[in-house]
Amino acid sequence: MTDTEPPGGARPDDGEIAEGWAEPWRPEQVAARLAGLEAPWCVAAGWALDLFLGREGRPHGDLEIAVPAAAFEEVRGRFPELEFDAVGSGTVWPAAGPAALAATHQTWAREPASGRWRFDVFREPHDGATWICRRDRSLRLPYAEVVERTAAGIPYLRPELVLLFKAKATRPKDRADFDRVLPHLSPDRRRALAGWLARVHPGHPWLERAAG
């Protein structure tokens, strides 16, 4: 990402964003289109937690997937009917070019005919087959330890890492996700989450419960 904001962006209000995300796709729809992709993509955020638990725990206003940044063009090529808008700090760059992509890590896939966003792509830092946490670049893991799969083969970000990302904002839905997922984490998973929280968010209110 760059430190300067490129020209051509727009700042939609909350109503426009809600309208644009009125009909997000589901994980199985994206998974079907990305079948056979060699890059280690995965469903992220709240949907990833539901895939881990094996059930839908709450409504989802969007669908987020994570891909290695170098694989984004390959992913985009699987959806030739969609435009990909770069997003960052409340600004949206429609049909993003190289400058907007370099300035952001988030990309909303938009259906031009309806104007609706169908899913969100996080373009993640990596070093070959090693995932790099964008919140703390010293946190690095092999993709084999980052991506898990459902019985149907849908890849998702391991729940401890999903909760680590949710710990930054701790919105009501993030706290609810933590509360519903924590009891289902094994002791090893809890220890991993506690260690990462202590590293990335020292003193975080979730730390004591994760370590307990």
Side-chain angles (χ1 to χ4, degrees):
M1 294 179 61
T2 63
D3 295 326
T4 58
E5 186 171 290
R11 297 185 69 86
D13 60 31
D14 291 346
E16 291 170 323
I17 292 174
E19 174 62 22
W21 278 110
E23 297 177 339
W25 285 358
R26 294 175 57 86
E28 57 268 24
Q29 291 174 275
V30 172
R33 298 286 295 272
L34 294 180
L37 187 76
E38 292 187 6
W41 76 277
C42 60
V43 175
W47 263 117
L49 298 178
D50 281 359
L51 294 175
F52 166 70
L53 294 173
R55 62 183 182 275
E56 291 183 41
R58 60 172 174 81
H60 295 278
D62 57 9
L63 168 65
E64 294 140 308
I65 70 170
V67 305
F72 173 67
E73 291 302 328
E74 186 179 2
V75 171
R76 175 155 61 177
R78 295 293 187 98
F79 304 91
E81 79 280 16
L82 302 181
E83 295 283 2
F84 285 78
D85 304 338
V87 183
S89 301
T91 301
V92 177
W93 289 267
L101 291 175
T104 60
H105 71 268
Q106 198 168 1
T107 333
W108 292 354
R110 174 175 45 83
E111 185 178 72
S114 66
R116 297 280 171 81
W117 291 299
R118 300 310 190 187
F119 61 95
D120 184 357
V121 183
F122 293 128
R123 292 166 280 115
E124 300 286 79
H126 65 106
D127 182 5
T130 299
W131 172 85
I132 300 174
C133 178
R134 54 187 153 81
R135 299 271 170 82
D136 180 344
R137 295 181 71 91
S138 70
L139 175 52
R140 300 173 178 232
L141 296 167
Y143 269 106
E145 297 180 16
V146 168
V147 179
E148 301 182 357
R149 292 182 179 272
T150 67
I154 299 176
Y156 61 90
L157 186 66
R158 63 189 282 185
E160 307 95 295
L161 290 174
V162 175
L163 293 176
L164 176 66
F165 281 109
K166 283 179 166 289
K168 180 179 180 180
T170 56
R171 300 161 296 183
K173 70 176 182 179
D174 299 321
R175 293 192 294 271
D177 282 344
F178 177 77
D179 290 340
R180 71 190 177 94
V181 172
L182 187 66
H184 298 275
L185 298 183
S186 68
D188 284 347
R189 288 183 183 273
R190 285 183 176 227
R191 280 192 290 272
L193 174 58
W196 293 331
L197 284 171
R199 178 175 179 169
V200 180
H201 299 292
H204 195 280
W206 290 356
L207 185 54
E208 183 175 356
R209 289 180 58 195

